[in-house]
């Protein structure tokens, strides 16, 4: 088991970056790209079938970790809701001056609304920085895994992987 998982319950950024599904710094600078944070050898492969660009490969055996062909990935995000492990994100470092976007699966209700100010959180659910929701996608094909996209200051894009759960007003 990876050291970060063993000691904290989730992997370190260094462990994730060395996985075959994590794009290179150079690719991240070019625009939206999938970030696959799937680092355990588990029998799973819907992500491989989900990508219309054939940018994700698992092959045989099925316990291989997903490999991202970062040059084939066009950043469509279709793989995000297909991952049962909620381990795929989309990061765009080129969104705007000093501003990045992070898209992630969000399986809680109520869903946030576009334009809403939110608290962006890291992989452990700890607050990182303020964010703004710019897209909420929940078509039937997502099979009840909505995808939320937020803007955050660019320097936090590698850390932010979700938002604090929205509380319904009583
Ligand atoms: S973002 Fe789109 S092109 Fe990139 S790996 Fe996912 S499904 Fe494939
Ligand atoms: S679908 Fe998700 S959990 Fe399954 S192999 Fe792909 S990235 Fe890993």
């Amino acid at each position: 088991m990876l050291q970060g998982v063993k000691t904290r319950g989730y992997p370190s950024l260094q462990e994730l970056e060395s996985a075959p599904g994590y794009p290179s710094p150079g690719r991240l600078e070019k625009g939206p790209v999938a970030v696959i944070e799937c680092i355990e050898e588990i029998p799973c492969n819907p992500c491989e079938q989900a990508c219309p660009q054939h940018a994700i490969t698992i092959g045989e055996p099925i316990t291989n970790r997903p490999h991202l062909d970062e040059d084939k990935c066009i950043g469509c995000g279709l793989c995000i809701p297909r991952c049962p492990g909620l381990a795929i994100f989309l990061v765009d470092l080129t969104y705007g001056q000093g501003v990045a976007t992070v898209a992630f699966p969000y399986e809680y209700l109520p869903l946030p609304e576009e334009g809403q100010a939110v608290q962006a959180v890291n992989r452990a659910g700890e607050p990182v920085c303020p964010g703004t929701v710019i897209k909420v996608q929940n078509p039937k094909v997502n099979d009840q895994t909505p995808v939320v996209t937020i803007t955050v200051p660019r320097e936090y894009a590698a850390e932010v992987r979700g938002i604090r759960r929205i509380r319904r007003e009583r």
Side-chain angles (χ1 to χ4, degrees), residues 47-57 67-69 72-73:
C47 55
E48 182 175 40
Q49 286 142 23
C51 179
Q53 305 299 319
H54 308 290
I56 304 176
T57 308
H67 174 274
L68 177 73
D69 185 331
K72 283 187 183 169
C73 176

Side-chain angles (χ1 to χ4, degrees), residues 36 38 42 44-48 56 58 64 66 82-88:
I36 306 176
C38 178
I42 51 170
C44 184
N45 68 357
C47 55
E48 182 175 40
I56 304 176
I58 290 180
N64 284 341
R82 295 289 300 280
C83 170
L86 309 181
I88 306 182

Side-chain angles (χ1 to χ4, degrees), residues 1-163:
M1 188 183 276
L2 293 161
Q3 194 56 30
V5 179
K6 213 184 305 179
T7 54
R8 291 170 313 191
Y10 62 96
S12 69
L13 184 57
Q14 288 77 8
E15 287 167 339
L16 292 168
E17 284 172 344
S18 62
Y22 207 98
S24 67
R27 175 62 186 85
L28 280 160
E29 291 294 341
K30 286 184 184 163
V33 65
V35 176
I36 306 176
E37 301 193 349
C38 178
I39 53 172
E40 303 280 1
E41 295 181 349
I42 51 170
C44 184
N45 68 357
C47 55
E48 182 175 40
Q49 286 142 23
C51 179
Q53 305 299 319
H54 308 290
I56 304 176
T57 308
I58 290 180
E60 294 288 341
I62 194 175
T63 50
N64 284 341
R65 295 181 300 168
H67 174 274
L68 177 73
D69 185 331
E70 59 182 29
D71 296 322
K72 283 187 183 169
C73 176
I74 59 169
C76 66
L78 292 175
C79 50
I80 299 175
R82 295 289 300 280
C83 170
L86 309 181
I88 306 182
F89 307 87
L90 194 78
V91 172
D92 182 5
L93 295 183
T94 65
Y95 182 75
Q97 190 78 35
V99 181
T101 64
V102 180
F104 48 87
Y106 188 83
E107 293 187 330
Y108 303 106
L109 290 174
L111 288 173
E113 289 172 12
E114 291 178 7
Q116 188 172 349
V118 289
Q119 175 72 67
V121 300
N122 65 14
R123 296 171 182 85
E126 298 159 344
V128 175
C129 62
T132 303
V133 176
I134 59 164
K135 213 188 298 177
V136 179
Q137 297 162 290
N138 192 19
K140 242 187 183 155
V141 69
N142 279 23
D143 197 19
Q144 302 188 51
T145 299
V147 175
V148 172
T149 305
I150 62 171
T151 54
V152 290
R154 186 190 143 98
E155 61 268 32
Y156 297 119
E159 216 182 322
V160 167
R161 288 297 176 264
I163 56 173

